Amino acid sequence: SGGAENAGTLRAWHARLYAASTFNSSFARTIAYLPMYHYRGCLSFVAILTSPGSHSYALGARAMTTRHYGQVETLTVTLNSVLRHGSVGATCSGAGDSQIKSVQRVFIDDDGTYPNNSRYPTLLLQSVFAAGTEHEGARRIVADGQWTSPWSWGIFEYHHYHSKAWELLLCVRGEASVQLGGPSGPTVSIAKGDLVLIPPGVAHKQLNARGGFTLLGAYPTTGFDLSIDTLTGSPTDEERERIKGCYVPSTEPILGFDVRKLCDTESDKS
């Protein structure tokens, strides 16, 4: 693929491809990579990846993005397309396939018991630390001072959520199925090398685990009193306000992805 000589033309083709993937079921199984812009001298690519029963988007095409609450969306991105300026989490060495990462994103609304989080999605960054050890993972989490020293364990086997902070979970061993959002919420698979970011208010529960499933868990150092709460029922008014006011982490610690870009918080609710 060549450089983007005419950004307007590319955006027009991007819109056509998106429309085709929306209204044509056979075309909806294709993947289209488009050069979108240059970032610090490196060409960034995004992909539209759609399949029956799922939703995927080109990251940054906010005018086209619609939130599908309770459904898993897939973002296919390159490292340099979502790096925060000045990040040292990854380097830019071209737009090869080795840089393409799959990010699952789930927006979950209040279900009447669990508040969840209608503004920010749960993010699952797949296979970003597959070769790393538990010791190395712990070192990377605290390296830039933005995340607390991690605990090492699994996930409670009951629906619960936190009102004080985002929760970072890095899988360093085994795999598990985890339900999000309460008894009616979707289930995701977490395996070694995956990184999960759970916004405050989002219920989560471990359903089963295999292979010595182990996570490193941490919280942002900004706006956090180092004492996480664990809630299991409807929140109080105070807890709801606390969820709304929680600090949003600027980056995750493994690749340096910009969390707000991955959340795409300017999208409108469907």
Side-chain angles (χ1 to χ4, degrees), residues 137-139 141-142 148-152 216-218:
R139 188 191 69 80
I141 287 171
V142 302
T148 62
S149 181
W151 47 259
S152 176
L216 296 179

Side-chain angles (χ1 to χ4, degrees), residues 91-207:
T91 58
C92 186
S93 58
D97 288 347
S98 63
Q99 286 189 295
I100 295 172
K101 297 296 178 184
S102 177
V103 179
Q104 291 187 333
R105 185 173 74 173
V106 190
F107 285 97
I108 307 177
D109 214 346
D110 193 319
D111 71 349
T113 299
Y114 301 102
N116 295 310
N117 200 307
S118 61
R119 183 177 181 189
Y120 294 105
T122 296
L123 299 169
L124 172 57
L125 285 65
Q126 298 176 308
S127 301
V128 296
F129 196 66
T133 64
E134 182 172 343
H135 176 76
E136 174 64 11
R139 188 191 69 80
R140 293 279 290 275
I141 287 171
V142 302
D144 63 1
Q146 293 190 50
W147 296 88
T148 62
S149 181
W151 47 259
S152 176
W153 202 56
I155 296 175
F156 290 132
E157 295 180 345
Y158 55 85
H159 297 289
H160 68 284
Y161 61 96
H162 312 294
S163 72
K164 291 185 174 183
W166 283 66
E167 185 168 51
L168 177 149
L169 302 173
L170 177 64
C171 185
V172 294
R173 190 177 303 112
E175 58 183 321
S177 296
V178 176
Q179 187 172 30
L180 302 172
S184 300
T187 298
V188 297
S189 296
I190 301 173
K192 185 180 187 301
D194 291 348
L195 176 70
V196 186
L197 291 167
I198 303 178
V202 174
H204 44 293
K205 170 187 177 180
Q206 182 175 303
L207 300 178

Side-chain angles (χ1 to χ4, degrees), residues 8-80:
T9 300
L10 286 170
R11 283 193 292 269
W13 275 106
H14 182 275
R16 292 177 188 176
L17 285 167
Y18 179 85
S21 67
T22 301
F23 297 109
N24 187 306
S25 60
S26 60
F27 188 84
R29 295 179 177 84
T30 66
I31 300 176
Y33 291 99
L34 297 173
M36 294 297 289
Y37 57 86
H38 282 76
Y39 180 85
R40 295 168 69 183
C42 299
L43 186 63
S44 298
F45 284 69
V46 291
I48 304 169
L49 169 61
T50 61
S51 60
S54 67
H55 302 275
S56 299
Y57 308 100
L59 189 65
R62 291 191 173 107
M64 301 176 187
T65 302
T66 302
R67 292 182 181 176
H68 296 268
Y69 281 73
Q71 299 182 41
V72 179
E73 304 171 346
T74 300
L75 302 176
T76 304
V77 300
T78 54
L79 300 187
N80 44 310

